[in-house]
Amino acid sequence: MTDNRPGDSSHRRRADGRSIPTDRESPVGAPVIRGDESVAGTRAREAVQFDPDDPESLADAAETVREFASGSTNDDHLYMLRGAAACAALVRGEGSYKAAAERAGGDATVSFIRKWARVHDLPRSVRKQVALGRIAPTAAKHIARVGGEARLLLAWATLDGNLTVREVRSVASTINDGTPIEQALADHGVTLGQLELTLSPSTYRDLRRRASVDGVLPGEIVTDALEEYFD
């Protein structure tokens, strides 16, 4: 099996040296989001963990992948995350996408398993938005096609720019063809890094006053303050 195995964590370093996780950091098949009651509610108790090193669990993963590939999900985003987890565990347990597809059988093709295993490989911050229904699982498939920091930027631009699944697919393809993400998003009317914030009246007052006195845009002050906060 080649690189980008489901479950392997990847980091990119910012210009300031800080490491940013761009892939999943928790174990393959672990229901980190699906088992979180603050996200999944009472359904968190139903979350299933797929252990690629356990033959019985791997058999459950194969059955789940086969059912998932049949299309009987009813667009249930939590079930889709479960299917993605099963795909990732099956690939890890069988050693390749081809072997995983053969084990699952039915409508589970190599392409299907690869796409959904990549969704499971997305960082927790993105998978949480999928579980909450804010990012469609089908959009997450295309976000997962993008590598490095661009996948995070595309995920947040999907939310802030209200991108459709078709638009996310188009942007992802454009990025993978070598176009900078800023340009790829601009072609769809989205400015990277632009979002609407609601501030308390007093903070709004002080931000506007300081920006006016310093002769800068409010966004510059917010950026400086947040960069210091995140350090």
Side-chain angles (χ1 to χ4, degrees):
M1 191 165 133
T2 57
D3 37 344
N4 288 331
R5 294 179 63 186
D8 289 345
S9 63
S10 175
H11 291 71
R12 297 294 183 273
R13 288 198 172 273
R14 289 167 37 111
D16 58 13
R18 189 165 76 242
S19 178
I20 301 174
T22 57
D23 285 317
R24 182 184 182 92
E25 296 187 294
S26 48
V28 173
V32 177
I33 297 298
R34 291 177 291 120
D36 185 343
E37 289 192 5
S38 68
V39 176
T42 56
R43 293 183 63 183
R45 303 168 192 169
E46 304 170 7
V48 177
Q49 176 167 342
F50 299 104
D51 184 352
D53 298 318
D54 181 334
E56 185 174 337
S57 182
L58 201 61
D60 289 340
E63 181 178 353
T64 298
V65 171
R66 184 165 53 254
E67 293 176 353
F68 183 37
S70 71
S72 57
T73 62
N74 297 320
D75 293 327
D76 185 324
H77 46 277
L78 288 175
Y79 183 86
M80 286 180 161
L81 284 179
R82 179 183 177 186
C87 286
L90 192 58
V91 172
R92 178 59 64 87
E94 293 296 327
S96 72
Y97 293 112
K98 181 179 179 180
E102 291 175 350
R103 173 72 183 272
D107 297 321
T109 64
V110 168
S111 176
F112 177 89
I113 292 177
R114 179 187 294 113
K115 288 176 182 178
W116 286 104
R118 286 175 177 172
V119 169
H120 185 69
D121 199 35
L122 287 168
R124 178 176 182 175
S125 56
V126 178
R127 286 181 288 114
K128 182 173 182 178
Q129 297 304 309
V130 176
L132 291 170
R134 295 170 184 167
I135 294 179
T138 46
K141 282 196 304 182
H142 299 298
I143 292 171
R145 291 166 45 208
V146 178
E149 187 174 319
R151 63 169 39 179
L152 288 171
L153 295 176
L154 178 54
W156 309 138
T158 297
L159 290 174
D160 298 323
N162 293 315
L163 293 175
T164 65
V165 173
R166 179 175 294 182
E167 288 171 331
V168 174
R169 179 180 62 188
S170 176
V171 172
S173 295
T174 303
I175 293 171
N176 285 336
D177 286 340
T179 301
I181 186 172
E182 293 89 344
Q183 182 59 51
L185 288 169
D187 291 342
H188 289 273
V190 177
T191 300
L192 183 62
Q194 186 177 79
L195 73 161
E196 182 177 317
L197 294 176
T198 300
L199 306 174
S200 68
S202 59
T203 299
Y204 174 72
R205 176 201 63 207
D206 293 343
L207 173 62
R208 277 297 189 181
R209 179 183 62 81
R210 176 59 63 87
S212 178
V213 170
D214 292 351
V216 299
L217 293 173
E220 294 181 49
I221 295 176
V222 173
T223 295
D224 289 343
L226 288 176
E227 287 182 347
E228 182 177 349
Y229 174 83
F230 289 129
D231 279 340

